[in-house]
Amino acid sequence: MKPVKLGVNIDHVATLRQARLTRYPEPVHAALVAEQAGADSITVHLREDRRHIQERDVEMLKDVLTIPINLEMAVTDEMLALAETYKPEYCCFVPERREELTTEGGLEVIGQQERIREACARLQANGSRVSLFIDADAGQIDAAVNAGADMIEIHTGHYADSDSPETQDMEFNKIVRAVEHAAGTPLQINAGHGLHYHNVKPVAAIEQVAELNIGHSIIARAVFSGLYQAVKDMKTLMDEARW
Ligand code: PXP
């Protein structure tokens, strides 16, 4: 079995910096430490309100990283133009609402296939591979295929936030069924949101999942263990889940 890759989301290093509008902590520093600790890619979400990651972060990351950058973005004209400028290796389309604490649900692909198809084609022509962050739903997966996406990222937030073991089992089964459905398509299957050290293993164990994107729990653990160790610990759990 192949190892599952880890994309480390460093948004919350920038959250800490923006809380005081200081020059530290530096997200680029975090990305380099994560890379050394074994991260396979670095994810940043350049939000419309610029609450954490700023354009200069994306620009600097693009200059220094040797692993791929995954730019999470809303499907807006502004963000599409920025993605064309920065040419990240991966772009992940996410829904975005200003008032949300974090990305709350998957992208509605079925209802806006034409728009998403155009956006995918535009960024693919610019050299990026495009991923769609979607709920664990066969209809959305089929729509992602029709829209020409290269990858999907299955939203694991409902599984992660479940308030009872029964609900968690139910949400997990939805993820498994969605992965089985997507495995019959050309899409690369990623997953993420809300994953932490105590819930990552079942998702990491799903063989067809290529990469997990994890942010908040890793940055939170880094406060106590340091980022290098926090990334290593997550990688170890993910490897243990496979073998
Ligand atoms: N994947 C997507 C599409 C996201 O929007 C986020 C949060 O920015 C993550 C993964 C990472 O989620 P978390 O910070 O809960 O690990």
Side-chain angles (χ1 to χ4, degrees), residues 125-184:
N126 198 50
S128 297
R129 293 183 74 214
V130 181
S131 177
L132 307 182
F133 181 60
I134 56 173
D135 286 329
D137 177 271
Q140 298 292 353
I141 293 167
D142 293 341
V145 174
N146 288 335
D150 300 287
M151 303 175 273
I152 51 167
E153 180 174 329
I154 296 181
H155 188 354
T156 51
H158 305 300
Y159 155 79
D161 298 339
S162 302
D163 50 15
S164 73
E166 294 74 27
T167 320
Q168 190 162 46
D169 276 355
M170 198 182 74
E171 293 297 339
F172 182 69
N173 289 333
K174 279 193 207 165
I175 295 170
V176 172
R177 282 197 301 274
V179 170
E180 280 166 3
H181 186 78

Side-chain angles (χ1 to χ4, degrees), residues 7 9 11-12 43-45 47 52 70 72 92-95 102-104 133-134 153-156 191-196 212-218:
N9 179 317
D11 289 351
H12 296 305
T43 296
V44 288
H45 185 174
R47 295 187 76 101
H52 37 55
N70 174 31
E72 284 179 10
C92 179
F93 293 165
V94 299
T102 179
T103 315
E104 284 168 356
F133 181 60
I134 56 173
E153 180 174 329
I154 296 181
H155 188 354
T156 51
H193 211 285
L195 296 176
H196 56 62
L212 299 180
N213 283 315
I214 309 181
H216 188 265
S217 63
I218 293 179

Side-chain angles (χ1 to χ4, degrees), residues 73 106 218 234:
M73 51 182 280
I218 293 179
M234 186 57 85

Side-chain angles (χ1 to χ4, degrees), residues 43-111:
T43 296
V44 288
H45 185 174
L46 185 60
R47 295 187 76 101
E48 188 193 13
D49 63 11
R50 305 293 194 270
R51 69 174 73 158
H52 37 55
I53 292 294
Q54 309 295 307
E55 282 162 50
R56 61 73 88 178
D57 300 325
V58 184
E59 202 176 313
M60 287 173 72
L61 286 167
K62 191 62 196 154
D63 265 358
V64 302
L65 283 183
T66 49
I67 53 175
I69 296 179
N70 174 31
L71 179 67
E72 284 179 10
M73 51 182 280
V75 193
T76 61
D77 290 340
E78 183 207 11
M79 286 308 310
L80 289 169
L82 286 171
E84 283 180 327
T85 304
Y86 297 129
K87 300 184 191 305
E89 284 80 0
Y90 313 141
C91 291
C92 179
F93 293 165
V94 299
E96 200 172 298
R97 289 196 304 121
R98 264 184 184 260
E99 60 278 19
E100 68 192 359
L101 281 179
T102 179
T103 315
E104 284 168 356
L107 191 68
E108 171 50 41
V109 189
I110 300 170

Side-chain angles (χ1 to χ4, degrees), residues 1-17:
M1 217 188 284
K2 278 208 277 188
V4 57
K5 290 185 175 177
L6 172 62
V8 175
N9 179 317
I10 56 167
D11 289 351
H12 296 305
V13 176
T15 301
L16 211 51
R17 176 191 61 191

